[in-house]
Amino acid sequence: MARLEQEGDIAADYLEELLDIADLDGDLDIDVEADRAAVSIVGAELTQLVGRDGKVLEALQELTRLAVYRETGERSRLMLDISGFRADKRSRLTQLGAETAAQVAESGEPVSLEPMSPFERKIVHDAVAAAGLRSESAGVEPRRYVVVLPADA
């Protein structure tokens, strides 16, 4: 737990400096969620830090993980959220997983979803498992996708 809190502190220091350089206002929230440090930046207008489909957010997360690695010498699984983008996405993907599981349970036919990042696939897999069905990833990065399978498959 102390190591994860240290990761969060290092990440927050790095991100505060980045916000200062970019002359952006944002408040940082540090937490530990599911055995990983989580840092959230909230502010009035930070959409430029999220980017289209979260691409800038992904890049900032990797840079922040590198900053943590530079300080600790250990690989970080830190999660970064900006303006609630990931939280909203998690909610939508959980709903997609549950709805797809219900569709598969009713039809008995597998359903393949659109390609997703590993983070997105994990959320869908968890939602499908919570609904009592099975899912698997198929395809090759960056086009890997989730296939939701009937219970008897």
Side-chain angles (χ1 to χ4, degrees):
M1 185 71 136
R3 182 181 62 80
L4 295 177
E5 289 173 353
Q6 178 191 19
E7 282 186 18
D9 289 339
I10 294 167
D13 289 345
Y14 174 79
L15 291 165
E16 271 185 21
E17 192 172 323
L18 183 109
L19 289 171
D20 284 345
I21 290 168
D23 196 27
L24 295 171
D25 291 325
D27 295 321
L28 285 104
D29 181 31
I30 306 166
D31 202 358
V32 174
E33 299 172 359
D35 295 330
R36 62 172 61 185
V39 179
S40 297
I41 304 174
V42 293
E45 185 56 43
L46 297 172
T47 54
Q48 68 271 38
L49 293 181
V50 174
R52 184 171 178 216
D53 297 326
K55 297 292 186 200
V56 175
L57 171 58
E58 291 289 332
L60 286 173
Q61 177 175 277
E62 286 308 310
L63 289 171
T64 305
R65 286 177 175 176
L66 286 171
V68 170
Y69 177 76
R70 186 184 67 219
E71 293 288 324
T72 65
E74 295 182 25
R75 183 165 146 49
S76 173
R77 294 179 44 228
L78 176 129
M79 290 296 292
L80 175 63
D81 193 4
I82 299 173
S83 297
F85 178 83
R86 281 197 199 273
D88 292 344
K89 185 166 225 167
R90 180 184 304 272
S91 177
R92 288 191 312 271
L93 289 168
T94 299
Q95 183 177 353
L96 173 66
E99 289 172 355
T100 304
Q103 175 187 347
V104 169
E106 185 177 313
S107 72
E109 296 294 322
V111 172
S112 297
L113 300 174
E114 294 295 317
M116 300 177 189
S117 71
F119 165 78
E120 295 167 333
R121 290 194 310 270
K122 168 116 177 57
I123 294 167
V124 173
H125 286 306
D126 290 348
V128 170
L133 293 181
R134 218 170 45 83
S135 60
E136 57 189 36
S137 292
V140 177
E141 289 293 353
R143 309 261 326 137
R144 283 185 66 78
Y145 57 95
V146 174
V147 179
V148 180
L149 303 164
D152 58 358

